[in-house]
């Protein structure tokens, strides 16, 4: 089929919870979508739950059941996006444009069955293609999918970002725009560091690290998708028309000045578990982490050291998401019994602070500078991990914000681009 309609650019626009938090914001978003359409685009919209709806639903469930099953949690949480998608479509219709709202069972978004952190395995875009061909603005509930037994799943916190990028890939969209409550990606969370600077262009690999290390502005899974299929993302504000940040593939000859450290991130949803006095024999780590993997608990930093208490014994310390702490400890109990030795201590008063930048590949001394500036701030480092493009430290949670501010200053990230001499 040819004809003008098919040649109009296809834009996926994603709006986060704060952008649709109340009826006025919802109407504002509706007008932005309509403007985009009237500029000559075909629009697919992905929307998150209004404001704090997801958190509120989680709190509500805890009042009913201290340990609610993940399957029912998914059905409950997905309701937030079902509400906002229906309302946003209504807001667009109220302005006289054609729109239709959809939730997971209608969208053909298939996931695995790992409730509360499901992965998208396939998208059948037939229905959406039909809707946009018919001139409808398709308003899709983010964050949710359907598993092989037709049970509702959710994609993990912040998962609407992933819905948006995955739909952009499936529909071969020309652009994917992520509208949020800040003007773009900053050198640190602007709520924590007032001097943080907006980054015009950031590479997929840097954004992937930042997102995985706690900068919740984008969900990490969404960046994995965008990188894999090379879909540039434009992250911008839903409240103003300012240019935002572009998340793009790394350039061979960078157009921009390449900073060594691009940004600082903190993740306060971390917990540390230490298995102490483990027998020092082959297979112990395999048993410990095998059990956690079976329960879909992601383990992050791991440090093994000889026991302080006994010769021939080891301690293994590692971090998990604080939401997984309880389950992880429960899961480890039978493993320790099986090993006939060792005990477990844990703390969720920890946070991970990280510096990220592809420029670190070719520079020595970056980690040392980080440790020095944390030391100067009186922050004790409990664990360290590094990769080519990041350094992360586990510290006390109460020091996280201060540490981020110190690191941001130490690496001069708030500094304006240098002005040419004589200017
Ligand atoms: P949405 O509801 O639109 O998905 P989120 O609350 O998930 O928005 O993400 C936006 C928030 O991410 C911002 O309000 C900001 O506080 C936080 N944030 C953390 N790190 C960064 C960063 N480096 N740049 C921009 N925002 C950041
Ligand atoms: N509403 C979900 C959450 O709060 C998904 C999202 O906002 O992207 O995590
Ligand atoms: Mg988000």
């Amino acid at each position: 089929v040819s004809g003008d309609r098919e040649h109009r650019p296809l834009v996926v626009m994603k709006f986060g919870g704060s952008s649709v938090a109340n009826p006025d914001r919802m109407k504002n978003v509706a007008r932005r979508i309509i403007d985009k359409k009237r500029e000559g685009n075909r629009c697919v919209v992905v929307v998150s739950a209004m404001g704090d709806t997801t958190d509120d639903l989680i709190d509500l469930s805890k009042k009913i059941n201290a340990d609610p099953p993940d399957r029912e949690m998914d059905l409950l949480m997905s309701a937030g996006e079902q509400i906002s998608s229906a309302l946003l479509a209504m807001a667009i219709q109220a302005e006289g444009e054609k729109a239709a709202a959809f939730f997971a069972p209608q969208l053909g978004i298939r996931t695995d069955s790992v409730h509360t952190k499901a992965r998208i395995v396939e998208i059948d875009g037939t229905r959406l293609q039909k809707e946009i061909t018919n001139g409808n603005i398709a308003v899709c509930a983010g964050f949710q999918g359907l598993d092989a037994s037709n049970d509702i799943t959710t994609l993990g916190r912040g998962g609407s970002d992933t819905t948006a990028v995955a739909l952009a890939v499936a529909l071969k969209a020309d652009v994917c725009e992520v509208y949020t409550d800040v003007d773009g990606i900053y050198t640190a969370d602007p709520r924590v560091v007032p001097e943080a600077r907006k980054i015009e262009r950031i590479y997929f690999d840097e954004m992937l690290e930042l997102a995985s290390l706690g900068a919740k502005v984008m969900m990490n899974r969404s960046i994995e998708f965008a990188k894999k299929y090379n879909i540039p993302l434009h992250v911008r504000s839903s409240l103003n028309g300012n240019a935002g940040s572009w998340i793009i593939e790394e350039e061979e000859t960078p157009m921009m000045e390449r900073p060594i450290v691009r940004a600082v991130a903190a993740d306060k949803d971390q917990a540390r578990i230490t298995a102490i006095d483990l027998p020092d024999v082959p297979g112990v780590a395999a048993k410990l982490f095998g059990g956690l993997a079976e329960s879909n608990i992601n383990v992050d930093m791991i440090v093994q050291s000889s026991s302080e208490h006994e010769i021939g014994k080891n301690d293994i310390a590692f971090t998990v998401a604080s939401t997984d702490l309880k389950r992880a400890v429960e899961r480890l109990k039978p493993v320790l019994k099986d090993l006939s030795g060792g005990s477990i201590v844990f703390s969720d008063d920890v946070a991970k602070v990280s510096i990220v930048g592809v420029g670190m590949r070719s520079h020595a001394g970056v980690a040392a500078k980080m440790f020095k500036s944390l030391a100067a701030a009186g922050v004790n480092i409990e664990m360290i991990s590094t990769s080519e493009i990041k350094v992360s430290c586990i510290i006390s949670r109460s020091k996280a914000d201060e540490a981020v501010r110190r690191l941001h200053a130490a690496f001069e990230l708030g500094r304006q681009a240098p002005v040419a001499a004589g200017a």
Side-chain angles (χ1 to χ4, degrees), residues 143-416:
F143 182 50
Q144 49 185 263
L146 212 58
D147 76 359
S149 351
N150 289 335
D151 282 338
I152 297 270
T153 55
T154 64
L155 309 178
R157 298 308 304 270
S160 300
D161 297 331
T162 305
T163 307
V165 179
L167 283 178
V169 171
L171 301 170
K172 300 193 169 64
D174 295 280
V175 194
C176 183
E177 297 184 323
V178 178
Y179 290 84
T180 182
D181 59 356
V182 283
D183 280 9
I185 311 297
Y186 281 71
T187 48
D189 187 340
R191 291 180 209 285
V192 176
V193 185
E195 304 80 43
R197 211 158 38 93
K198 185 168 76 185
I199 302 172
E200 257 170 63
R201 296 193 290 167
I202 183 167
Y203 300 142
F204 287 132
D205 283 333
E206 293 173 320
M207 193 63 229
L208 187 54
E209 288 286 4
L210 280 179
S212 307
L213 295 170
K216 66 166 187 162
V217 59
M218 290 296 294
M219 195 206 189
N220 58 356
R221 196 77 53 76
S222 72
I223 308 297
E224 277 171 19
F225 263 106
K227 178 180 152 76
K228 183 164 174 201
Y229 296 96
N230 194 12
I231 302 256
L233 304 177
H234 188 189
V235 180
R236 55 194 305 196
S237 170
S238 66
L239 302 166
N240 63 49
N242 297 348
S245 302
W246 283 92
I247 309 175
I248 54 169
E249 194 163 61
E250 197 168 328
E251 301 137 308
E252 294 216 341
T253 339
M255 303 283 286
M256 52 192 156
E257 179 197 4
R258 184 184 274 187
I260 298 170
V261 171
R262 167 71 74 197
V264 185
D267 185 348
K268 297 180 190 165
D269 296 322
Q270 292 275 306
R272 189 194 51 226
I273 300 178
T274 312
I276 48 181
D277 296 340
L278 296 167
D280 188 11
V281 293
V284 171
K287 280 194 183 131
L288 216 56
F289 297 116
L292 296 175
E294 272 166 24
S295 305
N296 287 303
I297 296 166
N298 293 325
V299 172
D300 187 24
M301 277 189 212
I302 303 177
V303 175
Q304 172 169 311
S305 50
S306 355
S307 169
E308 287 175 18
H309 312 108
E310 246 181 284
I311 297 169
K313 301 258 163 156
N314 280 332
D315 294 347
I316 297 183
F318 55 94
T319 56
V320 297
S322 27
T323 43
D324 284 337
L325 176 60
K326 221 167 108 186
R327 273 193 323 128
V329 171
E330 284 309 311
R331 187 66 186 80
L332 288 173
K333 281 182 186 162
V335 179
L336 289 193
K337 212 173 203 170
D338 189 35
L339 290 172
S340 53
S343 55
I344 294 231
V345 293
F346 54 87
S347 156
D348 79 350
D349 179 32
V350 297
K352 179 167 58 185
V353 291
S354 311
I355 54 173
V356 172
V358 296
M360 285 163 58
R361 283 188 199 128
S362 48
H363 279 81
V366 184
K369 184 169 175 179
M370 178 180 191
F371 305 151
K372 217 179 198 174
S373 97
L374 291 177
V379 175
N380 187 41
I381 300 171
E382 298 173 21
M383 295 165 97
I384 298 169
S385 85
T386 64
S387 81
E388 256 198 321
I389 65 166
K390 67 125 201 232
V391 184
S392 299
C393 297
I394 296 290
I395 62 169
S396 153
R397 192 175 294 172
S398 59
K399 301 248 167 103
D401 288 349
E402 175 62 13
V404 168
R405 284 190 285 267
R406 291 286 190 132
L407 293 171
H408 194 268
F411 288 98
E412 299 178 67
L413 301 182
R415 178 185 62 131
Q416 292 301 309

